[in-house]
Each structure stands twice: as C-alpha cells, then as structure tokens.
Amino acid sequence: MTPAGILRIRRPAWAGRNYSLLTAAAIITGLGTHGALIAAAFAVLQSGGDGGDVGLVAAARTAPLVLFLLIGGAIADRVPRHRVMVAANALNCVSQAAFAWLVLAGDPKLWQMMLLTALCGTGQAFFNPAAEGMLMSSVSGEQAGRAFALFRMSMHGAAIGGAALGGAMIAAMSPGWVLAVDAAAFAVAGALRAFLDVAHIPAREPGGGLLSDLREGWQEFIGRPWLWSIVAQFSVVVAVVGAAESVYGPLVARDELGGARPWGFALAAFGVGTLCGALLMMRWKPRRLLLAGTLCVFPLALPSAALAVPLPVAGLSAVMFVSGVTIEVFGVSWMTALHQEIPEEKLSRVSAYDWFGSVAMLPLATAVAGPVEDLVGRGQALWGCAALVVLCTGAVLFVPDVRNLTRRTATVEVASGKTLSADTEGTVGRLG
C-alpha cells in the first residue's frame, strides 16, 4: 500500500493528505531525534570530554540555525516547501549516519563531532521554516487550533518514546546506535515528505531577490509588537533552558542521578507533559491567546531549579512534566496566533525570524555553560537560568498586544435573521 493509501485510513475530515503526511513524518523523526540529542552529549562524555566539550558540540548544532535560518525562510517562500524539507532531511540523514559510524568505530574527535553536528544543524535551519509554513498552509478554519494541538501531541508522543528508548539504548549499548536510528528516521521521514502536494499553494510572484524577500519578512515581523517582543523573550528563555538541559542536565545526571537512564526518564516525563498539554488544547480555546500562553512560560524555570537542588529523579520528573504541560499551552496558542495574523505567502519568512530570534543566543549560552559553571558553580548557574526565565516572562506581559490579542470571531447571519458568533481560528484573519 502506498503512503497516501495508508493515510486515508480513518483520519478526521479536517486532517487532509498533507497534514497526515506531515504528522506521520514528525512522529518518525521525533522518535529518532530526541534519543539522538541525549546520545550526542553522552558520546562526548564517553570519549573523555567534559561539560565544556558538551557545550561546544551543542553550540555547533545551534550556530548554523542562527547563520542560515533567515535564508532558509526566504527560500521556503520562493520554492516548493516540500523540496526544501526533503533536501534538509537528506543532509540530516547523512550527517547523523557519519556521526554514528565514528562513535561505533571508537575514539571520535571533538572537532569531528562538532562538524557533523553543525551539518545536522544546517539541515534544521532550512527545514524548520519550510515545515512550519507547510503545516500552517495544510489547515484552515475553525479546526486549526485542534489540528495544531493534535500535530504537537503526536510529535511529543514520539518524544516520550524517543527519549526513554535513547536513554535505555545508551545504557545498554552505545550512543552510536541511537545516532544510527536517528539517521534511518530522517531517511524514512524524507521519503514521506516527498509525497506532499503543494498544488494548492499559489505560485509566488517574482520578487526583487533574496534580500528583498528578507526585508519584506522583516517588515512583517517588526510591525507586530506582540510578535517581536515574545521572540525577544524566547531568545533568553531558549538559551538558558537549552544550556540547563543540554549541558548541565547530563552532568547532574552523571554525578547525582546515576547516569543516562534517569535523565532519559526525566526528558520522557517532559514529553508526557507536552502530550497532556496538547490534549488539553484540543478542547480549551483561550480567548486571549498570548496572555494564556505567556503565563504558562513561567513554569519553564522549574527544571533548572530542580537540577540546582538537585531533586531526586521522581521530583525532577514531576517538574519536567509540569513544564511540559504548560509550554504546550503556549506552543498551540502561539501557532494559532501566527496562523490567524500572518499572510500565507509570508509564513516561512516570519517563521524564520521567529526561529532566528528564539535560537540566536543558544549557541553562546551552551558554549559558555561550562566556563560559567567553573566560575560560579553548577548550582548557582542553574539558579541563574531559572531567574532569567521568570524575569523575561514577567517583562513581556507589559506589552499591551501580548495581554490583549484575542482569538478572532466572525458574525454569521442565519435564515431567522439572528446572528451567531463563530470561532474561526484564523479564517477572518487570513481573508480580511
């Protein structure tokens, strides 16, 4: 049976072919990637590296995101998005396969791990804006919020299995095997994404070139205070949370919790939380989208605080679960706001500025995490991460648009002459 035939089996009426293919591919890559992130950290540690080396490898993955995201967004609004996605998946497959081979062969060098991780990050820089634009163009109307919640629920469900399986495989075998699984997952997901249909997306009018496209995307981005202020907030939040989880988390797990398996369980608890948060958002439609979402960013400070104590595995898993639930409320609200407010032909470019701002400080944060630990101590560094999350999230609530942007409704006349207020979740915003 073809992939299209498989995806026709018992799917909701609003889950079209593209949406179903995107969801299936995200599940497959989620299973591989979340284990591979743990595997990369422990590959560095097992090769004799320290916390600073873990930070350098993590920074090597995120630095290309900063360098190439904007170009990736402009390209994804110019050429068929699925081609960009498939090419990025191919690069990720090759780089992760080479990384796996080096680890399994024994004694990988730090520079080799950084180079291959950077290639994987380059693939993600082109993939992310194209994928987000493709997903948003695959749904419309009143079911958009539910579609985003289900997509994220499927993706995070895969993260639960991927993190737990990755931790178990590292403990039982080698990080290299986890990286090999990730390479295979990218190959399968890329094949699925090759079947995406872009015929419904209007052809882009010839523009003035790449710089003109980037400038147009910037004007769309900077003209919306709610958009740039939350992206600025997340430039700090993502940086400190990323440093805590990619550098300090594995070190605390190794020194205090017993190794990779407990850390994998903690990350899986976060995945369970995101799954529950997505289930919640399939039913709950907060009227003030961004206010509800932003209030739910505060609990992202909890994992850093739990690692600073440090709490035992059960306590750490509990706070990871809570932060997973609440960040999913933000994630679905954010996607719904973008879908409602941003024109389709600019989705990938605006998404690129969103991703760029959000990850801009992550390479620096992960690179300096080790030296900061040496300077002030691991516990103080983690408390500082928690404090920055709280301060930045509190600051963005002073932006009026963040507090006041609402889910749009349309007034519909019926035969009796009465009017009904219909929740459109983006239809009015996209057509008006």
Side-chain angles (χ1 to χ4, degrees), residues 323-346:
S323 64
V325 172
T326 57
I327 195 57
E328 198 60 21
V329 175
F330 171 82
V332 175
S333 299
W334 180 248
M335 291 186 72
T336 305
L338 290 175
H339 182 267
Q340 172 178 291
E341 300 292 330
I342 306 300
E344 192 279 333
E345 70 275 8
K346 299 178 183 177

Side-chain angles (χ1 to χ4, degrees), residues 158-251:
I160 298 169
L165 180 62
M169 287 181 66
I170 293 167
M173 295 183 287
S174 164
W177 289 111
V178 181
L179 295 166
V181 169
D182 190 35
F186 276 119
V188 174
L192 284 176
R193 288 164 176 144
F195 286 91
L196 290 167
D197 181 11
V198 297
H200 67 288
I201 300 176
R204 270 55 177 181
E205 294 292 334
L210 187 64
L211 289 179
S212 177
D213 285 352
L214 290 173
R215 186 162 52 249
E216 188 175 330
W218 171 254
Q219 291 169 349
E220 188 75 29
F221 173 81
I222 202 65
R224 303 175 186 272
W226 61 269
L227 180 57
W228 62 256
S229 62
I230 289 182
V231 170
Q233 169 205 8
F234 267 78
S235 69
V236 178
V237 171
V238 170
V240 297
V241 170
E245 293 191 0
S246 65
V247 180
Y248 299 137
L251 293 174

Side-chain angles (χ1 to χ4, degrees), residues 327-402:
I327 195 57
E328 198 60 21
V329 175
F330 171 82
V332 175
S333 299
W334 180 248
M335 291 186 72
T336 305
L338 290 175
H339 182 267
Q340 172 178 291
E341 300 292 330
I342 306 300
E344 192 279 333
E345 70 275 8
K346 299 178 183 177
L347 278 172
S348 288
R349 278 169 288 174
V350 170
S351 174
Y353 280 105
D354 175 14
W355 277 95
F356 176 82
S358 297
V359 304
M361 295 179 62
L362 185 57
L364 176 62
T366 52
V368 305
V372 169
E373 178 188 6
D374 294 337
L375 182 64
V376 303
R378 188 184 301 164
Q380 293 300 317
L382 283 163
W383 283 117
C385 291
L388 284 170
V389 172
V390 173
L391 290 173
C392 291
T393 304
V396 82
L397 289 174
F398 285 96
V399 178
D401 286 351
V402 172

Side-chain angles (χ1 to χ4, degrees), residues 79-175:
V79 303
R81 289 171 180 147
H82 71 306
R83 293 183 183 175
V84 179
M85 297 167 70
V86 172
N89 283 168
L91 178 59
N92 289 147
C93 174
V94 172
S95 61
Q96 289 296 78
F99 197 172
W101 181 83
L102 283 175
V103 174
L104 292 172
D107 195 28
K109 307 301 181 185
L110 179 62
W111 71 267
Q112 294 172 326
M113 292 186 284
M114 290 179 64
L115 174 62
L116 292 170
T117 303
L119 288 175
C120 195
T122 300
Q124 289 304 113
F126 286 87
F127 176 85
N128 289 342
E132 192 156 312
M134 195 74 198
L135 176 63
M136 291 187 183
S137 70
S138 71
V139 298
S140 62
E142 64 182 19
Q143 298 295 342
R146 177 174 291 183
F148 296 146
L150 180 60
F151 176 85
R152 293 173 67 92
M153 181 174 66
S154 301
M155 184 176 63
H156 294 312
I160 298 169
L165 180 62
M169 287 181 66
I170 293 167
M173 295 183 287
S174 164

